[in-house]
Amino acid sequence: LGMIGGKEHAERSIGAYRAALAIRPGTTTVLIGLAMALGSKGDVEGAIASYREIIRIDPKHALAHYALGGVLY
């Protein structure tokens, strides 16, 4: 799944990512998309939680570490 659009479509993106996670929980590529969509909507806490979940699943996931650092900075 890719990001459906910018801020104006963040809700649709978030819904699609959550639906995908309901089918395949813990899929890191989907969690990255969800984190990005949440961040673009302004849900910083949700984005942080998603990035941390990815790192919990895959501690060596470089993109999640990088993106989390960007959000926390």
Side-chain angles (χ1 to χ4, degrees):
L1 290 173
M3 181 83 168
I4 293 172
K7 281 185 180 181
E8 64 276 359
H9 298 291
E11 279 301 322
R12 288 178 47 202
S13 297
I14 292 165
Y17 288 123
R18 288 191 171 141
L21 287 169
I23 296 166
R24 296 197 62 188
T27 305
T28 58
T29 53
V30 176
L31 282 165
I32 282 285
L34 176 61
M36 290 178 175
L38 290 168
S40 89
K41 182 184 165 204
D43 183 355
V44 175
E45 293 303 316
I48 289 169
S50 293
Y51 289 128
R52 286 187 171 152
E53 176 66 6
I54 295 164
I55 294 166
R56 185 191 67 75
I57 294 166
D58 180 1
K60 295 182 180 183
H61 199 289
L63 179 56
H65 282 281
Y66 177 79
L68 177 60
V71 172
L72 293 174
Y73 182 70

